[in-house]
């Protein structure tokens, strides 16, 4: 029976255990360049079998929030290099999550106040992003009205992902994760309710709505090798004003089947809906499956032992417990992260959470003096 603490062969990359640190945006890159502190933050968490970084935008166009890092300029690549070096020195493995937010963005984040892009010119209702208000001050503002990508624009997006993946290799990452979940660009194309385009990238045919993601995956795999590529999906998360649509289960299962043929590192899924659908998805995608969302030590162990997942993601628990793997291994208590320092700010609530060993009274019971 497999346990969370067994090593795992991720198509040739050995992971020390089956615990994955979730991609988590922390918004601490005011100039979009990964700061020095980020290297410490990830190195502190290098006990994870695999770290998936926060999202990094593949282009200026793909940016949707203030203070998120990019991976499209030489300065950003150099910034990331500090992080990959620090994690590797600490014995960890690290993939970078690549994103393009599509319509979940605001004109204040783009040169000349340009509109964000999307499959169709429909704004995400009731969706806020962290951008600049009318006075140029950081604020939560409604996502702007986007423009529809034309075919040259679609080709440019694919090129941006390919370049970003090559940049990731130059920055020393072990691989990349293409973010196709949480209501961002790829999911906007996949969603049949939103994507009513009349060309080969939209409309009723499932293959049309999957085309942008699959062409991107194939392009990136050509450049860096399929076994360095993961894909994240969140089928029923309903984020970014995306809603249920006709044939959605068939759409996601078709994607799982298409990804299964591509020899990828993994598929990473959250919000798979019912246990029955999760099982169908697992059957359709026969490669390494990473599951995310609300796991505890116990449920994660069950997921790995039962074969429900190959690897299990922990998100929030990694924020306040840099040594999470050791705490789970020894059943040590977990610290809880508050909400106030999740996004933005400095070192507080970021790199100042101690390892458990730092405040345990003695290292081990055996080290305590024997009673007289
Ligand atoms: C502060 C924070 C930032 C997040 N940022 C991202 C992100 O950049 N990309 C992503 O795919 N998911 C993101 N997520 C979702 C997490 O990857 C994960 O799915 C979620 O936290 C559920 O796992 P948990 O219950 O173990 O925390 C974020 C979650 C949190 C709490």
């Amino acid at each position: 029976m497999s346990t969370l603490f067994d090593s795992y062969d991720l198509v040739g990359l050995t992971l020390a255990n089956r615990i994955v640190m979730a991609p988590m945006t922390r918004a601490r890159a005011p100039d979009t360049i990964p700061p020095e502190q980020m290297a410490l933050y990830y190195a502190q968490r290098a006990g994870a079998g695999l770290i998936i970084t926060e999202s990094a935008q593949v282009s200026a166009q793909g940016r949707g929030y203030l203070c998120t890092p990019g991976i499209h300029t030489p300065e950003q690549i150099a910034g990331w290099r500090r992080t990959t070096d620090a994690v590797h020195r600490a014995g960890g493995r690290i993939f970078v999550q690549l994103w393009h937010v599509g319509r979940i963005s605001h004109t204040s984040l783009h040169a000349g106040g340009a509109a964000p892009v999307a499959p169709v010119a429909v704004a995400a209702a009731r969706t806020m992003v962290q951008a600049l208000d009318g006075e140029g001050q950081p604020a939560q503002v409604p996502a702007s009205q986007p423009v529809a990508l034309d075919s040259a624009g679609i080709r440019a997006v694919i090129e941006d992902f390919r370049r970003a993946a090559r940049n990731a290799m130059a920055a020393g990452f072990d691989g990349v994760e293409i973010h196709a979940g949480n209501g961002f660009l790829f999911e906007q194309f996949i969603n049949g309710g939103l994507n009513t385009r009349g060309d080969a990238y939209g409309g009723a045919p499932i293959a049309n709505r999957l085309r942008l993601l699959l062409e991107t995956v194939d392009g990136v795999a050509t450049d860096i090798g399929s076994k360095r590529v993961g894909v994240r999906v969140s089928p029923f998360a309903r984020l970014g004003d995306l809603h249920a649509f006709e044939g959605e289960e068939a759409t996601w299962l078709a994607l799982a089947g298409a990804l299964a043929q591509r020899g990828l590192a993994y598929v990473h899924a959250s919000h798979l809906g019912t246990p029955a659908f999760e099982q169908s998805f697992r059957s359709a995608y026969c490669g390494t499956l990473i599951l995310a969302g609300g796991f505890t030590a116990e449920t994660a162990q069950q997921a790995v032992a039962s074969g429900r997942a190959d690897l299990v993601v922990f998100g929030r628990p990694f924020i306040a417990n840099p040594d999470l793997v050791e705490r789970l291994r020894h059943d040590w208590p977990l610290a809880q992260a508050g909400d106030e320092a999740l996004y933005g700010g400095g070192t507080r609530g970021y790199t100042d959470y101690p390892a458990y060993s730092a405040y345990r009274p003695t290292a081990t019971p055996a080290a305590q003096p024997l009673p007289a």
Side-chain angles (χ1 to χ4, degrees), residues 20-27 41 52-56 68 97 99 177 179-182 184 232-234 239 268-271 291-296 312-319 324 339 341-343:
V20 177
M21 178 176 165
M24 284 184 289
T25 290
R26 304 300 310 273
Y41 166 72
I52 305 168
T53 71
E54 64 210 88
S55 286
T68 57
Q97 188 182 60
W99 72 344
E177 173 174 293
H179 194 355
N182 295 6
F184 298 116
R232 183 172 206 192
V233 294
S234 57
L239 294 172
H268 172 184
S270 71
H271 301 89
L291 287 183
F295 280 98
T296 62
V312 178
V313 154
F314 285 83
R316 263 178 177 272
F318 261 112
I319 291 181
L324 181 68
D339 284 346
L342 288 182
Y343 302 104

Side-chain angles (χ1 to χ4, degrees), residues 213-225:
L213 174 58
L214 293 176
E215 288 187 359
T216 302
V217 168
D218 289 341
V220 168
T222 299
D223 290 354
I224 68 169

Side-chain angles (χ1 to χ4, degrees), residues 176-234:
V176 305
E177 173 174 293
I178 295 174
H179 194 355
N182 295 6
F184 298 116
L185 184 71
F186 291 115
E187 196 179 343
Q188 293 159 28
F189 271 82
I190 291 168
N191 188 286
L194 178 68
N195 183 0
T196 53
R197 294 173 70 95
D199 65 2
Y201 290 90
I206 289 176
N208 283 7
R209 285 179 282 110
L210 300 184
R211 194 177 312 280
L212 175 63
L213 174 58
L214 293 176
E215 288 187 359
T216 302
V217 168
D218 289 341
V220 168
T222 299
D223 290 354
I224 68 169
S226 60
K227 61 185 191 179
R228 291 180 184 275
V229 184
V231 174
R232 183 172 206 192
V233 294
S234 57

